[in-house]
Amino acid sequence: MAKLNRRQLNRQQLEACIRSAVCELTPDVLDRIDLSTPQEKEAAARPVRNVRRRVTGILAAACLSMIALAGGTYTYQNGRVDSVIGIDVNPSVELSVNRRNKVLEAEALNDDGTAIMEDMDLKGVDLNVAINAVIGSMVTQGYLNDLDNAILVTVSNDSIKKAQGLRYSVVKDIQATLEEKQLKAVVYDQQVIEEDEVKQLADEYNISYGKAYFLKELIGQNSSMTMEDMKELAPLNMEEIARVIAERSYAVGDRTGVQEPETSPPATHAETSPETSPPSTEEPVTETPTAATESQTTAQTSQPQTQPASSAPSQTPEETSSGQEVVSSEVIKIDYVDYENELVMVYFKTKVKWKNPTVSVKDGDGNTYSAKVEDTSSDYCEIHVTGLQGATEYTFILGGISPKIGRQTTVKGVFETPVIGDGMPDSGTEEEETEETSDTEPASTTGTAPSETTQKETKKEETAHTGEEPSY
């Protein structure tokens, strides 16, 4: 029966049995799959989101890099030394500042500098505040006092324009601080460049670079000085160096500026004195008695013009023909001016020095006269001038002159020429004095042969107008 059943299975039946067995082995999961979700679209969207995330991350990283770079550049520029300012009195201090004039470092260059910088933290403060603190400490510790003071300011910067601005502002800050302390000082300021020779000098003499540069320029400016003078000047403080410059009439370097203490009160007094002098010259004219004859009247009216200054008790006889001085400089004062035989002699109260002196002489109408400076010294000069008229006031202007410590300036003054008579102005004066004496004293007491002759000549002049014969 079994055999019969196997024979009855044909090919189709066998395939049906195999298919049924395979289906039973392979699970049917089709009903479990959610076909509503778009599988293919989801797969395409993922790469787009990834690209966006990558771009966003790159941009964020670039922004952070730019911020970090900008911050690093700002920090570098403000932390880099842009200028160096040196201050020398006897203490020597050096201030390094950035481009915004903030102090990066304050360094003392000698023992005295260490003393004034002790317990002083200037890092990060403005330059003007640091200058005020340094000068104030020098005043407190006695390095700057109410006597003579001198300060050297040295500025180093790659930009000439920036260095010039710093020189001006630092000097101004120093002067303001000194004014607050009621002190005065000569302030030298200079702009320097790095030179190996100056560095060697600074190391050799153990001084600051600025002081070595200043002394090197000073020696180079004066032909009478040599590098041997460096041994004498290097140990001195700036006050002592300034005194040497004044006493020996040295000229400072061309690149060095000099700021003198203000001396306006003496200059004002000197300028106002000529305004009060003219009345004294007019008083003798109004008080002159009227003479009996024309010749006496002419002589008497001309006499006060030759002696206007003699009425002032403070002047010497040699000053009788000189006018009051007028000083146009705040630092140079004239003592007095004298004139004799086409030679104007000017005496100064202030010690001066000369370099290519010039002079011009004019009268009240603006006419110019030929003049030349003949001789010069530290307190005196001679001016040779031609073509002047008598009893006239003239004005002279001197150039190429400067105080012992300071820059060149001009000085203005006035002088008067004496009266020029008919050939013998002095004899006319003697005749008048003799005539006045003869009216008050006996002839026997006036007595000498020259005086009697003078009296006879005077009587002849009188009779020339009256027509009477003289009696002897």
Side-chain angles (χ1 to χ4, degrees):
M1 191 71 183
K3 293 181 180 179
L4 182 60
N5 291 335
R6 282 196 292 270
R7 291 175 182 159
Q8 293 178 350
L9 292 177
N10 53 23
R11 184 181 179 81
Q12 295 180 351
Q13 291 175 344
L14 288 173
E15 290 178 358
C17 290
I18 293 171
R19 189 181 301 109
S20 175
V22 171
C23 290
E24 290 177 0
L25 292 174
T26 304
D28 188 5
V29 293
L30 182 61
D31 296 336
R32 302 175 186 175
I33 298 175
D34 186 5
L35 299 179
S36 62
T37 303
Q39 299 295 329
E40 293 182 0
K41 294 182 179 180
E42 179 69 17
R46 287 178 182 175
V48 174
R49 286 199 294 267
N50 291 337
V51 171
R52 290 177 179 174
R53 290 174 183 173
R54 290 174 187 171
V55 172
T56 304
I58 292 172
L59 292 175
C63 292
L64 291 175
S65 299
M66 291 178 65
I67 294 173
L69 180 62
T73 303
Y74 178 84
T75 303
Y76 171 75
Q77 290 180 346
N78 287 278
R80 183 175 64 91
V81 175
D82 183 66
S83 306
V84 178
I85 294 90
I87 301 175
D88 288 275
V89 175
N90 182 35
S92 295
V93 177
E94 196 172 79
L95 302 176
S96 300
V97 299
N98 61 15
R99 62 173 185 167
R100 302 179 65 188
N101 291 339
K102 297 284 187 180
V103 177
L104 299 178
E105 183 181 4
E107 181 182 3
L109 303 181
N110 55 11
D111 294 338
D112 291 330
T114 303
I116 68 168
M117 297 297 293
E118 188 176 5
D119 300 329
M120 187 183 298
D121 185 12
L122 300 177
K123 187 175 182 179
V125 304
D126 291 333
L127 177 60
N128 60 340
V129 176
I131 294 295
N132 185 284
V134 170
I135 299 300
S137 181
M138 290 183 181
V139 174
T140 301
Q141 300 196 32
Y143 292 102
L144 295 173
N145 49 46
D146 55 357
L147 302 177
D148 295 333
N149 300 298
I151 303 173
L152 173 63
V153 175
T154 305
V155 177
S156 175
N157 190 283
D158 295 335
S159 171
I160 296 177
K161 184 177 181 180
K162 179 68 177 293
Q164 290 175 344
L166 277 176
R167 288 171 64 179
Y168 174 79
S169 62
V170 171
V171 171
K172 186 177 180 181
D173 291 337
I174 289 176
Q175 290 177 333
T177 303
L178 292 175
E179 186 176 351
E180 291 177 0
K181 305 294 183 180
Q182 297 182 349
L183 300 177
K184 294 182 179 180
V186 177
V187 182
Y188 301 97
D189 62 282
Q190 61 181 0
Q191 177 186 353
V192 301
I193 56 177
E194 292 188 2
E195 296 180 4
D196 293 337
E197 181 183 358
V198 179
K199 289 181 180 179
Q200 293 175 0
L201 290 174
D203 295 338
E204 180 180 355
Y205 295 100
N206 195 25
I207 57 179
S208 68
Y209 184 91
K211 188 174 181 180
Y213 193 95
F214 176 80
L215 294 178
K216 176 178 174 293
E217 289 291 308
L218 179 67
I219 294 172
Q221 184 70 17
N222 298 272
S223 58
S224 61
M225 301 181 69
T226 64
M227 291 305 295
E228 293 296 324
D229 294 310
M230 181 73 75
K231 297 179 182 179
E232 175 190 354
L233 298 176
L236 305 180
N237 58 34
M238 286 307 302
E239 177 187 341
E240 294 168 338
I241 293 175
R243 190 179 299 117
V244 171
I245 292 174
E247 292 174 352
R248 301 181 184 177
S249 302
Y250 289 151
V252 297
D254 291 336
R255 302 178 184 178
T256 304
V258 183
Q259 307 298 326
E260 295 282 351
E262 295 183 0
T263 56
S264 54
T268 303
H269 176 72
E271 291 176 0
T272 55
S273 60
E275 297 179 1
T276 59
S277 59
S280 63
T281 61
E282 296 177 0
E283 288 177 0
V285 178
T286 57
E287 295 176 0
T288 302
T290 305
T293 65
E294 246 181 48
S295 61
Q296 292 176 343
T297 303
T298 304
Q300 289 177 351
T301 54
S302 61
Q303 178 184 356
Q305 297 181 2
T306 63
Q307 299 176 341
S310 61
S311 59
S314 61
Q315 292 183 337
T316 60
E318 291 78 10
E319 302 170 25
T320 56
S321 63
S322 60
Q324 295 290 337
E325 73 274 11
V326 180
V327 181
S328 62
S329 170
E330 293 184 354
V331 294
I332 298 179
K333 294 178 288 185
I334 295 178
D335 190 2
Y336 66 94
V337 183
D338 197 5
Y339 174 82
E340 183 178 359
N341 296 333
E342 298 185 345
L343 196 64
V344 181
M345 293 155 281
V346 185
Y347 298 85
F348 301 97
K349 292 182 179 179
T350 308
K351 296 294 184 181
V352 299
K353 56 186 179 182
W354 303 85
K355 186 176 182 181
N356 302 325
T358 60
V359 64
S360 64
V361 177
K362 296 182 179 181
D363 58 18
D365 297 329
N367 299 320
T368 304
Y369 296 84
S370 176
K372 181 181 179 181
V373 178
E374 294 286 349
D375 187 20
T376 59
S377 67
S378 61
D379 59 355
Y380 168 79
C381 78
E382 291 183 356
I383 305 170
H384 182 264
V385 58
T386 58
L388 303 184
Q389 299 178 357
T392 306
E393 183 177 270
Y394 296 90
T395 302
F396 66 87
I397 299 178
L398 284 169
I401 184 174
S402 62
K404 286 291 186 179
I405 303 177
R407 294 182 177 179
Q408 287 193 354
T409 182
T410 58
V411 176
K412 179 180 179 182
V414 297
F415 66 94
E416 288 183 358
T417 55
V419 175
I420 301 177
D422 294 335
M424 297 182 63
D426 294 337
S427 62
T429 304
E430 292 176 358
E431 290 174 2
E432 294 172 13
E433 292 177 352
T434 305
E435 182 179 6
E436 292 174 1
T437 305
S438 63
D439 292 340
T440 57
E441 297 180 4
S444 60
T445 61
T446 58
T448 62
S451 62
E452 292 174 358
T453 304
T454 304
Q455 292 178 8
K456 292 177 181 180
E457 290 177 356
T458 305
K459 292 180 179 180
K460 287 182 180 180
E461 291 179 358
E462 294 177 354
T463 56
H465 294 279
T466 59
E468 298 177 0
E469 291 293 328
S471 58
Y472 299 99

